[in-house]
Amino acid sequence: MSLTTRFAPSPTGELHLGHAFSALFAAERARRAQGRFLLRIEDIDATRSRPAFIAGIERDLAWLGLQWERPVRRQSEHLEDYAAALARLEAMGLIYPCFCSRGDIAREIARSGEAPQGPDGPRYPGSCRALSAAEANERKAAGAAFALRLDMAKATAVAGPLVWTDEAAGTIRAEPELFGDVVLARKDAPSSYHLAVSVDDALQGVGLVTRGIDLFAATHVHRLLQALLDLPVPHWHHHRLLTSPSGRRLAKRDKATSLGALRAAGLTAADVRSMVGL
Ligand code: GLU
């Protein structure tokens, strides 16, 4: 079976050298296996995504000499796929509406005097988990905005122990409980990153998920969602992150390493490849 890899940027800024490394890494793994390389636009967050950045991503990748299969999947065009996954988890009794604001959560954490940290910050203290269906429905009917959270204790009990394979790090025991009750649909976005990425990698037949090591912990949650939703389980390769000469992680706001700026300065795709070591 041929290997499918993907590069899945969020169109919230210009691509920089770190993205070039990530995209070239994924494309190279597909090329070596005579497989498929996909581009996926992760634009589920309508408040931060911009069409101009999508055009910029395609221009930059083409400049790097990459080719990808079309049509390009844009998450904002497939909301029904995420809704179907949420409906399935709901039917399993694993998700609940959460009406908390950031302020409510911070106050609850301060009140309880304990704030276990998860990979994404303090874990949600569970305030809305105990709401009765009647109470939740009443608040929904009154127009209150809500997110949908996974009941992590129930979900891990249903899934049982899980492992996943990272090409670089080996066999990893999944520890999604580190995240607590993760958000699967946000108040302002119909799906969270965790849900959309898990659904899409499965739908697109991605067999090797390559991405930066900053997303290593997120894979615990993705592995759990795959188990709950009966999705195929890929392998992962979390790669190193490029840093600036001062050792700082590259970020979208660093204009100097944006691919557009490097192109304007007269660099070629071959220069970029050698700069990122690929
Ligand atoms: N869209 C994510 C980002 O831009 C990457 C998701 C992934 O590769 O799993 O950071």
Side-chain angles (χ1 to χ4, degrees), residues 6 8-10 40 42 193 197 201 209-211 215 222 252:
R6 70 352 178 241
S10 306
R40 181 169 72 231
E42 302 215 321
Y193 160 65
V197 86
D201 283 334
V209 173
T210 62
R211 60 181 170 219
L215 287 170
H222 304 174
K252 282 183 178 154

